[in-house]
Amino acid sequence: MSTDNIILEMRGITKTFPGVKALQDVTLNVTRGQIHAICGENGAGKSTLMKVLSGVYPHGTYEGDIVFESETCEFKGIRDSEHRGIVIIHQELALSPYLSIAENIFLGNEQATRGVIDWTKTNAEAAKLLARVGLSESPDTKIMDIGVGKQQLVEIAKALSKRVKLLILDEPTAALNDEDSAHLLDLVRSLKGQGITSIIISHKLNEIAAVADTTTVIRDGLTIETLDMNGVEPVSEERIIRGMVGRSLDNRFPERSPRIGGEVLRIEDWTVHHPIDQSRKVVDGASLMVRKGEVVGLAGLMGAGRTELAMSVFGRTYGTNVSGRIFKDGQEIHTRSVGEAIRHGIAYATEDRKRYGLNLIEDIKRNITSSALGKLSRHGVVDREEETLIAERYRKDMNIKTPSVDAIVGKLSGGNQQKVVLSKWIYADPDVLILDEPTRGIDVGAKYEIYTIINALADAGKAVVVISSELPELLGVCDRIYTLSQGRVTGQLSRAEATQESLMALMTKEKEVTSR
Amino acid sequence: MTAVREYLGRNMRQYGIMGALVAIVILFELTTSGRLLMPDNVAALVQQNAYVMILAIGMVMVIVAGHIDLSVGSVVAFVGGVIGIAMGKWDMPWLLAVLLGIVVGALVGVWQGYWVAYVGIPAFIVTLAGMLIFRGLAIVLVGTTIAGLPTGFVAISNGYLPNLLGYTGNRDALTLVLGLVAIAGLVFSQVRARTTLRKHDLEVEPMVAFAGKLVLIALLLGAITWILSGATGMPIVLIIVGVLILAYTFVLGRTVFGRHIYAIGGNLNAAILSGVNTRRVNFGIFVNIGALAGVAAIVTTSRAGAAVAAAGDSFELDAIAACFIGGTAVTGGVGKVSGAMIGALIMGVLNMGLSIMNVDPSWQKAIKGLVLLAAVAFDLINKRRAAGR
């Protein structure tokens, strides 16, 4: 490999935070015109490495060299790196929702002459860039009016406007559905054809296997290995996982022998309308039930109405004109408020723990007890001693990695935050637990722990509903899986019957009422 | 020793603001050649600033929940007008008028709470409207002033507890006893909390820090008691403020209601999805600050000896400033009664010290503004430094 082909060389990068070595002598060589994947568990140092590269951590705050296009670079900030053609697109998109696509693309880089913006030029240039990323929206459209998938494309168009040579995508498909993900990955491939080099950070190993030319695995701040994905021998997902966790996860899902009892919760003919567009049915006549000790999956593509179904059942926290009936242990119940739902023994752990699940500025113990303070208090006065003891118990039982239950939740890793969310709902002691994307954005090791917890809950006689976009996960933990498509229940499969293919077929089934 | 340093580092903010208070007191003690801490001045400091402390208690809860209340100054004038008329024109017994004041304040809170909690209008707008409405109503009710209030009522903010226990030397024994009770109560409750934690093998702050903190606070309380005992006696209003501080520290720290306030301010969505009845909590917060504004109106009217239509001018700003100086987060979710009280004291000491020094009131305003800005800037820089590590 001649050095001309290397677009980026990071040599011996070491970055230390007080008490922690986040990166230790990390080396990364990226070949021009390739798609280079970086894998690693959360906290392995991927993001830190990218922050060093893009100048978020300026030169001088780390050791080692960055050589870009055969020149040693000393970036003082993100402007410097962008100037050289290195653009990073963060997981949380940095677009202004009230501005148009064109305005966002040229934000900070306005097409102006002497301070006066040339709108014709702005929109024309934007339209060209949109064509390159395959987005057929008018440049005038406001960002808030397009979906996350399209917003991601706008980000890439914005990067293209900066004459990007090296595009860094941090978890680009984390918030996208399969279709949008596929489109995005196609785009990255076609950019490769145009000579743009990409670095992709992703948890989704199947995507990496599909798109990457080279994969570098980082673990605990060290470069573990660099794998050539186009070699004779194909690199399997298991091979990458082995590098990431330092052990082979022979079984990604813990074993369980289900003991299923009688019906706990039954939902009949459940219909929910969109909160703004009230004529639109988001959930359309859905019926389903869960039994004691059973783990039931809800599979569906983005927009199938899984989360909307769960939230409308959980105290009408989503939607308008909700109709249908809910039976708990054979008795009809109503869940018009969250309080009512909790009193009937229903709990819902959200898919977006940071926005809807946790008080990030509060400590662990107060988060754990927040949904069941009534159990902890007499005459409205909280027993703080008992509270600390309970939190301590969950810290040990759930293996929440923290020195103290007084630690602020916002500072925990994703996996540990998720354990706090689960602790909170387990402490509320519900009969039915609805877990919405319980392993989103957490690393492989922590996922296994979450599955173990789900199994333990089912073994303790709880009815568990798992909503997930990852089909292998549903197949690995559920006893039975319902499929949703366009708000309708399109089928249910037992563990034995279900395969990724059979689920996908039902998940994409178009409008036609299935008889059950 | 490192444990102590680490602990201090983590609680930098709390000690920082207390240090600032002590520094300001020492500064004025020097510039006023010892007059600031003369017994009668300390008593007057409490009497003149009781309203800030009372309002700041309510304001902390409002701000922690992510709201703001701009109306309290006008509500003070309005409630003051109502009780002024009740006593001055209807000859209502003053104790009954006090009760009336609290009830009317709470009703104002019901009115504003309804719009905020159940209709969903931002508190900034509701209370901005309230600021205009109740100021207007106060002028309609009072005209300019209603004077000639009962002496019993006027004593609330100007009087002292009777000298029941006589004197030890030339010091009021009752004040000394109350001070000792307060110190004993504090030490007892702190030690007990620590022992329960120890009993369950849970982490406690290092012994040196714990003891140091207790000794420091005890000394501080002791010093204040000692000074006050040299004055005419224990100001009645100090007892009122003290009881409110204790009660609301309990409400915010120990009750489900208090916990829900922090939950709402920390993450409203998460609170809703945890089953917190956010409307009821928000409503309660506004009823509460209304009632406290009623108390502040009683204290203010009593201090002036008359109901004044212009009373309570910019009280809301004093209370809000006290909260922010005391570490309450602008974005909600964080804040303590104790912090706001220190904030109120800083404002009070500034008022007092600058007045003794004969600084022009216009300059006093400017200086207080700078102190507010400096306190919050200090906080922000501190946080950034902590995050940057």
Side-chain angles (χ1 to χ4, degrees):
Chain A
M1 213 185 284
S2 82
T3 44
D4 310 341
N5 274 333
I6 300 290
I7 185 166
L8 170 76
E9 202 182 347
M10 295 181 83
R11 278 195 296 238
I13 304 288
T14 298
K15 168 82 187 164
T16 329
F17 297 106
V20 198
K21 256 198 174 152
L23 294 174
Q24 244 181 97
D25 197 21
V26 169
T27 299
L28 180 71
N29 289 311
V30 180
T31 309
R32 191 185 297 274
Q34 279 205 343
I35 299 174
H36 194 116
I38 298 180
C39 295
E41 292 193 320
N42 284 350
K46 296 165 296 187
S47 299
T48 311
L49 186 65
M50 289 305 110
K51 283 180 178 166
V52 166
L53 173 56
S54 58
V56 174
Y57 297 131
H59 178 79
T61 63
Y62 58 88
E63 292 159 43
D65 292 316
I66 298 174
V67 181
F68 185 68
E69 298 194 303
S70 315
E71 260 179 66
T72 306
C73 299
E74 301 183 352
F75 299 134
K76 287 188 196 67
I78 211 154
R79 274 196 97 88
D80 289 354
S81 62
E82 285 193 351
H83 193 68
R84 293 299 307 268
I86 302 175
V87 180
I88 182 162
I89 297 178
H90 293 279
Q91 200 176 340
E92 274 94 29
L93 299 179
L95 298 170
S96 175
Y98 301 109
L99 297 182
S100 72
I101 292 177
E103 284 170 302
N104 266 288
I105 289 178
F106 292 108
L107 195 61
N109 176 28
E110 283 78 5
Q111 301 300 296
T113 34
R114 286 186 293 278
V116 179
I117 292 183
D118 182 344
W119 286 110
T120 323
K121 190 175 168 205
T122 301
N123 284 327
E125 291 292 321
K128 271 187 230 162
L129 291 165
L130 291 181
R132 271 180 81 188
V133 299
L135 185 58
S136 56
E137 293 282 343
S138 154
D140 276 337
T141 316
K142 296 224 181 338
I143 288 296
M144 60 181 180
D145 295 331
I146 60 177
V148 193
K150 290 179 175 174
Q151 291 180 4
Q152 188 74 262
L153 298 179
V154 172
E155 279 275 19
I156 293 177
K158 185 174 176 180
L160 292 176
S161 80
K162 292 170 184 161
R163 316 219 177 290
V164 61
K165 290 175 190 154
L166 175 63
L167 182 65
I168 305 165
L169 298 152
D170 189 357
E171 294 282 353
T173 60
L176 305 190
N177 61 26
D178 288 353
E179 195 187 325
D180 285 345
S181 299
H183 184 95
L184 185 88
L185 295 175
D186 278 344
L187 174 63
V188 175
R189 270 196 215 102
S190 88
L191 290 177
K192 175 181 157 185
Q194 298 168 33
I196 294 173
T197 315
S198 300
I199 294 178
I200 287 193
I201 298 176
S202 180
H203 276 123
K204 297 189 182 169
L205 300 182
N206 54 345
E207 290 176 3
I208 287 176
V211 81
D213 298 306
T214 311
T215 299
T216 296
V217 179
I218 296 179
R219 185 173 78 227
D220 303 330
L222 297 163
T223 325
I224 299 301
E225 55 189 346
T226 295
L227 304 164
D228 181 1
M229 308 292 285
N230 300 332
V232 193
E233 193 98 335
V235 178
S236 66
E237 285 178 42
E238 281 69 27
R239 176 69 191 79
I240 301 175
I241 290 175
R242 200 158 68 225
M244 281 165 65
V245 298
R247 62 183 181 277
S248 109
L249 274 182
D250 289 331
N251 203 338
R252 279 153 75 179
F253 303 97
E255 285 295 324
R256 178 172 74 95
S257 37
R259 285 193 311 275
I260 297 172
E263 174 189 296
V264 177
L265 188 78
R266 179 156 45 99
I267 297 163
E268 282 187 357
D269 200 19
W270 196 256
T271 300
V272 181
H273 292 79
H274 192 272
I276 297 159
D277 179 5
Q278 297 189 5
S279 60
R280 206 171 101 211
K281 286 181 182 173
V282 181
V283 179
D284 189 357
S287 298
L288 43 92
M289 67 91 174
V290 227
R291 302 190 194 96
K292 197 172 157 68
E294 189 181 34
V295 181
V296 169
L298 285 189
L301 299 170
M302 196 73 80
R306 298 165 302 169
T307 297
E308 293 81 357
L309 169 65
M311 288 184 75
S312 58
V313 168
F314 188 64
R316 307 254 165 109
T317 41
Y318 175 88
T320 49
N321 293 331
V322 178
S323 64
R325 303 170 81 185
I326 306 177
F327 297 86
K328 171 84 190 303
D329 300 322
Q331 298 276 323
E332 178 157 16
I333 58 162
H334 296 281
T335 56
R336 282 162 299 214
S337 70
V338 174
E340 216 174 351
I342 293 175
R343 276 195 296 282
H344 283 301
I346 301 172
Y348 168 75
T350 165
E351 61 176 332
D352 190 342
R353 56 181 169 268
K354 289 191 176 176
R355 272 176 67 196
Y356 296 111
L358 294 167
N359 183 349
L360 293 170
I361 56 175
E362 192 62 271
D363 57 27
I364 294 172
K365 63 173 190 288
R366 291 180 176 210
N367 269 286
I368 289 180
T369 58
S370 64
S371 60
L373 268 182
K375 278 171 74 177
L376 254 187
S377 57
R378 285 183 56 203
H379 309 301
V381 179
V382 179
D383 184 342
R384 288 196 294 191
E385 190 189 333
E386 182 69 16
E387 178 172 49
T388 309
L389 292 177
I390 285 163
E392 278 292 330
R393 200 178 77 216
Y394 281 104
R395 179 170 77 93
K396 292 198 189 85
D397 288 356
M398 308 284 270
N399 191 22
I400 302 170
K401 291 180 194 90
T402 168
S404 153
V405 292
D406 295 327
I408 300 299
V409 166
K411 296 197 169 154
L412 299 178
S413 72
N416 284 311
Q417 286 183 353
Q418 189 65 22
K419 289 178 196 168
V420 174
V421 173
L422 290 178
S423 304
K424 163 176 156 179
W425 287 114
I426 294 171
Y427 176 59
D429 196 23
D431 305 314
V432 183
L433 255 122
I434 307 170
L435 307 177
D436 199 348
E437 301 285 2
T439 64
R440 173 174 285 176
I442 68 181
D443 59 55
V444 180
K447 275 185 179 177
Y448 190 86
E449 289 185 79
I450 302 285
Y451 301 141
T452 311
I453 293 166
I454 292 175
N455 285 356
L457 286 169
D459 287 343
K462 310 278 183 207
V464 184
V465 178
V466 175
I467 300 175
S468 176
S469 297
E470 291 180 36
L471 294 182
E473 176 170 292
L474 289 176
L475 293 167
V477 297
C478 297
D479 302 314
R480 199 154 53 86
I481 302 171
Y482 286 101
T483 52
L484 269 80
S485 173
Q486 300 178 341
R488 290 156 192 268
V489 174
T490 52
Q492 59 166 315
L493 296 171
S494 70
R495 182 174 214 154
E497 300 168 310
T499 60
Q500 294 209 38
E501 291 73 24
S502 61
L503 286 174
M504 192 51 85
L506 288 168
M507 282 156 62
T508 49
K509 197 163 182 171
E510 296 288 323
K511 290 229 177 196
E512 55 172 331
V513 186
T514 49
S515 52
R516 298 207 298 112
Chain B
M1 206 52 219
T2 46
V4 177
R5 201 171 308 142
E6 226 169 69
Y7 178 80
L8 283 177
R10 255 189 289 157
N11 295 277
M12 175 71 186
R13 167 76 224 200
Q14 207 184 336
Y15 296 109
I17 201 72
M18 260 172 100
L21 176 60
V22 172
I24 290 172
V25 169
I26 292 173
L27 180 76
F28 280 118
E29 185 65 1
L30 294 176
T31 55
T32 61
S33 36
R35 274 179 296 167
L36 180 77
L37 291 182
M38 289 201 322
D40 286 327
N41 279 340
V42 174
L45 176 77
V46 173
Q47 289 169 335
Q48 277 171 21
N49 291 289
Y51 78 90
V52 193
M53 302 179 87
I54 295 166
L55 291 174
I57 291 171
M59 196 64 81
V60 163
M61 300 164 79
V62 170
I63 296 177
V64 166
H67 306 293
I68 195 84
D69 190 338
L70 301 174
S71 70
V72 288
S74 297
V75 175
V76 163
F78 172 69
V79 175
V82 172
I83 58 175
I85 289 171
M87 287 182 292
K89 297 200 172 146
W90 311 336
D91 291 325
M92 187 185 272
W94 68 268
L95 264 173
L96 209 59
V98 163
L99 204 65
L100 177 72
I102 297 171
V103 170
V104 171
L107 285 176
V108 168
V110 168
W111 161 258
Q112 303 201 115
Y114 167 75
W115 293 109
V116 174
Y118 291 99
V119 183
I121 301 176
F124 190 97
I125 295 167
V126 170
T127 59
L128 182 63
M131 184 180 181
L132 298 169
I133 294 168
F134 296 108
R135 178 64 63 192
L137 291 181
I139 297 169
V140 171
L141 282 179
V142 176
T144 47
T145 41
I146 300 169
L149 302 179
T151 46
F153 180 78
V154 175
I156 295 173
S157 284
N158 298 291
Y160 302 86
L161 287 185
N163 181 244
L164 291 173
L165 303 177
Y167 292 93
T168 50
N170 58 353
R171 297 188 176 269
D172 176 39
L174 181 64
T175 306
L176 291 176
V177 169
L178 285 173
L180 282 176
V181 169
I183 293 170
L186 178 91
V187 171
F188 176 73
S189 68
Q190 291 285 318
V191 169
R192 208 183 63 153
R194 189 182 162 87
T195 351
T196 33
L197 283 179
R198 289 296 291 265
K199 198 174 77 194
H200 297 294
D201 289 324
L202 296 172
E203 196 197 20
V204 290
E205 55 192 316
M207 191 60 200
V208 191
F210 177 73
K213 187 177 82 178
L214 270 192
V215 169
L216 211 74
I217 298 175
L219 279 178
L220 215 69
L221 278 178
I224 294 168
T225 310
W226 185 249
I227 294 170
L228 276 177
S229 66
T232 320
M234 173 66 86
I236 294 170
V237 75
L238 182 56
I239 302 292
I240 297 173
V241 171
V243 168
L244 287 176
I245 291 174
L246 285 180
Y248 279 94
T249 303
F250 182 82
V251 167
L252 269 180
R254 300 286 301 275
T255 66
V256 174
F257 177 62
R259 207 51 84 68
H260 283 170
I261 295 175
Y262 287 104
I264 288 176
N267 186 343
L268 178 63
N269 290 318
I272 293 171
L273 284 174
S274 299
V276 174
N277 190 336
T278 52
R279 289 180 174 183
R280 200 156 63 197
V281 174
N282 282 332
F283 184 71
I285 290 166
F286 277 92
V287 174
N288 179 68
I289 196 172
L292 283 171
V295 177
I298 291 159
V299 167
T300 307
T301 312
S302 160
R303 180 79 185 155
V308 185
D313 180 37
S314 76
F315 278 15
E316 63 281 345
L317 301 182
D318 289 341
I320 294 168
C323 292
F324 289 147
I325 292 175
T328 310
V330 184
T331 44
V334 178
K336 278 182 165 179
V337 171
S338 57
M341 292 305 101
I342 294 172
L345 278 177
I346 287 179
M347 298 291 279
V349 171
L350 280 174
N351 278 335
M352 193 78 189
L354 294 170
S355 302
I356 297 175
M357 285 172 71
N358 263 330
V359 174
D360 181 80
S362 325
W363 278 110
Q364 289 191 23
K365 253 196 179 145
I367 290 170
K368 282 196 285 182
L370 282 175
V371 168
L372 169 64
L373 194 61
V376 179
F378 170 79
D379 200 19
L380 211 68
I381 290 164
N382 241 347
K383 263 189 212 144
R384 261 193 218 142
R385 197 178 297 151
R389 274 188 303 199

